[in-house]
Amino acid sequence: MKLWGTTTREYFWGYFFVTIGSITFFGFLFEAVASSLFPLPQNTALANDRYYYCVLVPLTLPVIMVAVYFHWLSMKLFKHA
């Protein structure tokens, strides 16, 4: 079904972003759920990682700030387009 004014290029980018988003979602879902079912790695540095949660929150804050900025920017561009 072709909507009024849509081109083949717009359909390509739409399907492209949906595909990339789906691959990313299922990849993270696998890492969060399915990888815990596998045995621990033989590398003791990876098996006994105690410092992961110590740096998780401090490194999450800059990522959230960038995401909030991009959200604000996209809303401004949408409003003035």
Side-chain angles (χ1 to χ4, degrees):
M1 179 174 117
K2 185 170 181 174
L3 298 175
W4 181 81
T6 53
T7 62
T8 306
R9 182 178 174 148
E10 291 171 343
Y11 277 115
F12 167 75
W13 284 111
Y15 285 122
F16 175 76
F17 286 128
V18 168
T19 303
I20 294 298
S22 299
I23 290 170
T24 305
F25 173 74
F26 287 114
F28 283 122
L29 184 67
F30 172 77
E31 283 294 324
V33 177
S35 65
S36 64
L37 302 174
F38 292 136
L40 290 175
Q42 297 298 324
N43 188 350
T44 57
L46 294 176
N48 298 325
D49 189 12
R50 297 177 296 169
Y51 303 108
Y52 172 75
Y53 292 105
C54 294
V55 297
L56 180 64
V57 173
L59 290 178
T60 303
L61 294 176
V63 173
I64 290 174
M65 291 172 56
V66 170
V68 167
Y69 170 72
F70 280 136
H71 180 264
W72 172 83
L73 180 65
S74 65
M75 293 306 289
K76 280 290 190 182
L77 291 174
F78 177 76
K79 181 179 177 183
H80 296 290

